[in-house]
């Protein structure tokens, strides 16, 4: 997967569009590596960097998933928009493209984006040849990210 990513290949393409729900801004969650998570000084430095550079205030941390959950100080809950959109952090600029490297991308509720399998057309043709009910066909197309 890393080799394909280094060549610019991704298993998914991005479909849909932003619905401006603000779900990605409400509680940014950042997963970190084992080294950052296990060293107290690295954790403190990471959280301080997020606060100082990105304006993210720590809300919680999930030990099992090694994820920090933040509150963005630039997000206006009333207007559901960012007060510094033009200068937002790369973490924010990269959403949802950064999810396309995951084995099974899951987008936030209300987000208008979706992942589409790179080989979706061939899989659609193969599905059409199968003896399936319309419900089964729709469920498979959804679960395999074909639509």
């Amino acid at each position: 997967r890393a080799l394909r990513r280094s060549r610019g290949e991704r298993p998914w393409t991005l479909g849909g569009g932003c619905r401006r729900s603000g779900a990605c801004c409400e509680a940014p969650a950042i997963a970190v590596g084992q080294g950052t998570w296990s060293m107290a000084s690295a954790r403190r430095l990471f959280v301080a960097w997020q606060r100082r550079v990105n304006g993210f205030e720590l809300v919680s941390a999930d030990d099992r998933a090694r994820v920090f959950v933040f509150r963005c100080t630039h997000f206006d809950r009333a207007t559901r928009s960012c007060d510094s959109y033009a200068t937002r952090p790369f973490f924010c600029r990269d959403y949802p493209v950064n999810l396309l490297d995951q084995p099974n991308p899951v987008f936030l509720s209300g987000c208008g984006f979706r992942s589409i399998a790179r080989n979706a057309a061939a899989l659609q043709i193969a599905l059409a040849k199968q003896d399936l009910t319309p419900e089964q066909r729709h469920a498979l197309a959804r679960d395999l990210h074909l639509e």
Side-chain angles (χ1 to χ4, degrees), residues 61-116:
D62 180 347
D63 287 329
R64 203 171 110 205
R66 292 193 315 260
V67 171
F68 291 104
V69 179
F70 297 94
R71 178 186 63 79
C72 181
T73 59
H74 299 287
F75 180 63
D76 183 347
R77 291 190 185 320
T79 62
R80 314 277 314 149
S81 62
C82 178
D83 68 10
S84 62
Y85 187 80
T87 59
R88 68 194 184 281
F90 284 113
F91 173 81
C92 301
R93 288 178 190 274
D94 288 348
Y95 183 86
V97 175
N98 55 359
L99 297 177
L100 298 178
D101 288 324
Q102 295 180 355
N104 189 20
V106 176
F107 296 87
L108 295 166
S109 178
C111 178
F113 289 105
R114 66 187 184 284
S115 57
I116 301 171

Side-chain angles (χ1 to χ4, degrees), residues 104-140:
N104 189 20
V106 176
F107 296 87
L108 295 166
S109 178
C111 178
F113 289 105
R114 66 187 184 284
S115 57
I116 301 171
R118 191 160 297 285
N119 59 347
L123 289 171
Q124 286 281 21
I125 292 168
L127 269 181
K129 295 177 183 177
Q130 303 303 312
D131 185 28
L132 301 169
T133 66
E135 293 82 18
Q136 290 172 322
R137 194 176 314 282
H138 176 72
L140 280 169

